[in-house]
Amino acid sequence: MNRPVTTIKQIADASGVHPSTVSRALDPKKRHLVAADVAERIVSQAEALGYQPNRLAANLRLGRSDLIGVLLPDIANPVFAPILGGIAETLSAEGYAPIVADAGNATTQQISFVETLLSQRVDGLILATVSQDDELVGFCIRRGLPVILVNRSEARDRVSSVVSDDDLGMQLAVDHLAGLGHRHIAHVAGPLSTSTGALRRDGFVRAMAHHGWRGVVREAAGYTREAGARAAAALLDGEATSQPSSLPTICSPSVCSTC
Amino acid sequence: MNRPVTTIKQIADASGVHPSTVSRALDPKKRHLVAADVAERIVSQAEALGYQPNRLAANLRLGRSDLIGVLLPDIANPVFAPILGGIAETLSAEGYAPIVADAGNATTQQISFVETLLSQRVDGLILATVSQDDELVGFCIRRGLPVILVNRSEARDRVSSVVSDDDLGMQLAVDHLAGLGHRHIAHVAGPLSTSTGALRRDGFVRAMAHHGWRGVVREAAGYTREAGARAAAALLDGEATSQPSSLPTICSPSVCSTC
DNA sequence: CTGAAAGCGCTTACAG
DNA sequence: CTGAAAGCGCTTACAG
């Protein structure tokens, strides 16, 4: 870094005191340990020199980074924009900053991102990437790295998560379509290995059953336009799949007279 | 940080060599300075202990952070999702990580975010927030902090920017509507203090003029749904504004017989 | 090829 | 109330 940065030592020299005194004067919680006039002199000297404390140094000493890693499966997916917004807002209010990684859905790649974050000494992780039984969550738990989930949850609740009510969502969607007079409704489900895929599928089947109907479900290979298009095409070709065994059998237009 | 982390010294102790030798063995570029067998022993020892170099410490020494600050005016706006995606992808390929800040449009707040980033010793800044003559850009230039712009640009090109071709975009939009048979076209412009607001407005007027038409323009107070709604309502009420003096006068439905 | 030491910029016991 | 010193975990000249 070739641009000039002011250090505590420079302020100490300029103020004619010991660096430790500068450090105290500049810390609101320790300022009371310094004579009022000396503190004031130091503070104005610091301002004059445009002092910005080096948090890299402070954090090395304090064993933290003030950084929270955020792992997203697809950062370019607008779903995550407001989620990231909430994360950034709350973190910055608490003195933290988010360091975001577009980690995809492959566990090995995710772990490599986490190792990078670990070497940056992130203080915790927010994962939007998890599968129903997520390897990375186990990894974090074993390393003692604080972690919470957003967007998707695990099947067993090892850690806290913030997710939407997919069951209610599907109920509202089905009821809305039913209200418009539709009867033959199909659902392109997200990957059933994710909580969102499975819960929305279940919610759809349940909501349809509530109307006395059987829905058609087709699982998409991923949360992408391409996978959605393939699933929709398959659906139109009469291939339906993926019914949960505990729920009513799902029919396909080609085999079921109800649809 | 209460979770255990391995250090170079620990590896040195476990391998019976001096820390500096460990440091060399672990750095691919310096490994050749170490006897092959010793290097191998150290490397496997490091793996066994799950060593993750502390980049906080390394970077303090090296005077960098491997962090690039990204300032967005509204992180919850999906426009920025793919932009952030491209930034994250390229940065991580180069060994950097983005630290994103939702800094809004107010300069004072933006500067306070930048001061935080500065104390984290970011190696550079990407601004998606700039106005046509941006105070923050001047601030960064004065501090010698590398900065580039995305999404919006300044009127004078003090620093590099990556933006879309708004003139072409408006031309395509107007031609599309014209092709559908529309003749009376209004444009809700973004704030004219931003390059996007001004350039799209200009592009719209130019594209309309190309068809021999005069367009109606209404400037919105900001890039929000609410501001857009207010501008559209005003437009419907017959209030049009904001023509650039160098371009044809813009009419309003209430005063112009052409519209 | 290896070791001993200094130093990045902080913070915090420990003395006085 | 203030100073002197150690140490966070690295990297890199400087010796040998």
Side-chain angles (χ1 to χ4, degrees):
Chain A
M1 202 129 316
N2 45 9
R3 70 200 130 90
V5 253
T6 310
T7 67
I8 282 192
K9 191 193 288 191
Q10 287 171 27
I11 299 171
D13 292 348
S15 313
V17 295
H18 194 268
S20 56
T21 302
V22 173
S23 189
R24 291 182 191 108
L26 260 26
D27 179 352
K29 288 171 188 153
K30 299 239 173 75
R31 180 146 40 230
H32 66 95
L33 294 171
V34 177
D37 58 326
V38 178
E40 194 176 349
R41 184 153 43 91
I42 291 172
V43 168
S44 61
Q45 191 60 253
E47 272 173 18
L49 294 173
Y51 175 67
Q52 280 296 337
N54 185 331
R55 274 163 79 177
L56 245 50
N59 286 341
L60 172 61
R61 173 64 224 257
L62 297 172
R64 53 178 168 77
S65 66
D66 295 336
L67 257 23
I68 300 290
V70 180
L71 249 66
L72 304 176
D74 179 15
I75 201 175
N77 184 336
V79 185
F80 298 110
I83 293 178
L84 204 49
I87 290 173
E89 186 183 350
T90 302
L91 286 185
S92 86
E94 300 286 336
Y96 289 88
I99 151 167
V100 317
D102 194 10
N105 283 298
T107 304
T108 51
Q109 200 197 351
Q110 288 171 4
I111 290 195
S112 114
F113 269 100
V114 170
E115 307 217 293
T116 302
L117 293 171
L118 234 31
S119 77
Q120 310 255 37
R121 292 297 184 270
V122 290
D123 293 336
L125 238 42
I126 299 176
L127 307 181
T129 49
V130 304
S131 61
Q132 297 245 55
D133 183 12
D134 199 78
E135 208 177 312
L136 194 50
V137 173
F139 179 87
C140 294
I141 291 175
R142 283 195 300 281
R143 307 278 295 216
L145 183 62
V147 57
I148 66 156
L149 314 179
V150 70
N151 179 49
R152 303 177 190 163
S153 60
E154 283 198 301
R156 48 184 171 152
D157 283 332
R158 292 190 282 182
V159 297
S160 298
S161 62
V162 179
V163 297
S164 33
D165 185 341
D166 287 318
D167 193 66
L168 178 61
M170 292 312 290
Q171 183 188 317
L172 291 171
V174 167
D175 289 354
H176 175 73
L177 290 173
L180 294 174
H182 297 290
R183 297 294 176 263
H184 302 165
I185 306 173
H187 171 53
V188 174
L192 298 179
S193 56
T194 64
S195 63
T196 44
L199 292 173
R200 287 173 198 162
R201 192 267 319 264
D202 294 353
F204 170 73
V205 172
R206 189 172 296 118
M208 290 295 281
H210 188 258
H211 284 275
W213 306 330
R214 293 173 155 193
V216 182
V217 172
R218 174 78 200 188
E219 177 184 0
Y223 283 110
T224 63
R225 285 163 193 262
E226 294 71 25
R230 280 197 302 274
L235 211 42
L236 295 173
D237 285 348
E239 303 169 24
T241 57
S242 313
Q243 71 280 18
S245 56
S246 62
L247 289 164
T249 304
I250 289 169
C251 61
S252 138
S254 60
V255 299
C256 170
S257 59
T258 327
C259 289
Chain B
M1 203 129 317
N2 45 10
R3 70 199 129 91
V5 252
T6 310
T7 67
I8 282 191
K9 192 194 289 188
Q10 286 170 27
I11 299 172
D13 291 349
S15 313
V17 295
H18 193 268
S20 56
T21 302
V22 173
S23 190
R24 290 181 192 110
L26 261 27
D27 179 351
K29 288 171 191 155
K30 299 237 173 77
R31 180 146 38 228
H32 66 97
L33 295 172
V34 177
D37 59 326
V38 178
E40 196 178 345
R41 183 153 45 90
I42 292 173
V43 168
S44 61
Q45 191 60 255
E47 272 173 17
L49 294 172
Y51 175 67
Q52 280 295 338
N54 186 331
R55 273 163 78 176
L56 245 52
N59 286 340
L60 172 60
R61 172 64 225 259
L62 297 172
R64 53 179 167 77
S65 66
D66 294 335
L67 257 23
I68 301 291
V70 180
L71 250 66
L72 304 176
D74 179 14
I75 200 175
N77 184 336
V79 185
F80 297 109
I83 292 178
L84 205 47
I87 290 174
E89 185 183 351
T90 303
L91 285 186
S92 85
E94 300 285 335
Y96 288 88
I99 153 166
V100 318
D102 194 11
N105 284 297
T107 303
T108 52
Q109 201 197 349
Q110 288 171 3
I111 290 195
S112 116
F113 268 100
V114 170
E115 307 215 295
T116 301
L117 292 172
L118 235 31
S119 78
Q120 310 256 38
R121 292 299 185 270
V122 290
D123 293 335
L125 238 43
I126 299 177
L127 307 179
T129 50
V130 305
S131 62
Q132 297 244 57
D133 183 13
D134 199 79
E135 210 177 308
L136 194 50
V137 173
F139 179 86
C140 294
I141 291 175
R142 282 195 301 280
R143 307 278 294 218
L145 182 61
V147 57
I148 67 155
L149 314 180
V150 70
N151 180 49
R152 303 177 191 163
S153 60
E154 285 198 300
R156 48 182 171 152
D157 284 331
R158 292 189 282 181
V159 295
S160 299
S161 62
V162 179
V163 297
S164 34
D165 185 342
D166 287 319
D167 194 66
L168 178 61
M170 292 311 290
Q171 184 188 315
L172 291 172
V174 167
D175 289 353
H176 175 72
L177 290 174
L180 294 174
H182 296 289
R183 296 292 175 267
H184 303 166
I185 306 174
H187 171 54
V188 174
L192 298 178
S193 56
T194 63
S195 63
T196 44
L199 292 174
R200 289 173 196 162
R201 190 267 318 266
D202 293 352
F204 170 74
V205 171
R206 191 171 294 119
M208 290 296 281
H210 187 258
H211 286 274
W213 307 330
R214 294 173 156 194
V216 182
V217 172
R218 174 77 199 189
E219 177 184 1
Y223 283 110
T224 64
R225 285 162 192 264
E226 295 69 27
R230 280 197 301 274
L235 211 41
L236 296 172
D237 285 347
E239 302 169 25
T241 57
S242 313
Q243 71 280 19
S245 55
S246 62
L247 290 165
T249 304
I250 289 171
C251 61
S252 137
S254 61
V255 299
C256 172
S257 60
T258 324
C259 289

